[in-house]
Amino acid sequence: MIRQIRGKVLSVGLTSAIVEVAGFGMEVRMSTPQTLSVGSEATLATHLALRQDGLELYGFPTEADRDFFELIL
C-alpha cells in the first residue's frame, strides 16, 4: 500500500494533482488540489484503491483526514 508520497507538484487540475516521485508523475485524486502550488514540494497522506478498471491514488493533507476517509469506506 502507498500510505504517503512526497515530491514536487508538476500540475494541478480540478480533481487531481500530478506529483513527481522518484522521477515518476503520480496522479493523486484530491477534493481540493487547488491548495497545492505548482513547483512546490508536497507531502500527502494517501489511500490506494484497487478498482476494476485500474488503481486510484487518493491524497489528503493529514493522516487524520485519510483515516476518516477509510473509516467511511
Side-chain angles (χ1 to χ4, degrees), residues 25-69:
M26 306 283 288
E27 180 180 18
V28 183
R29 298 194 180 274
M30 300 177 67
S31 61
T32 56
Q34 299 78 16
T35 59
L36 304 176
S37 301
V38 173
S40 67
E41 184 164 304
T43 300
L44 300 169
T46 60
H47 173 82
L48 181 62
L50 176 61
R51 307 272 184 232
Q52 288 182 349
D53 57 346
L55 301 171
E56 289 187 340
L57 188 63
Y58 294 93
F60 306 90
T62 67
E63 290 180 14
D65 290 335
R66 179 196 57 213
D67 293 345
F68 180 73
F69 174 79

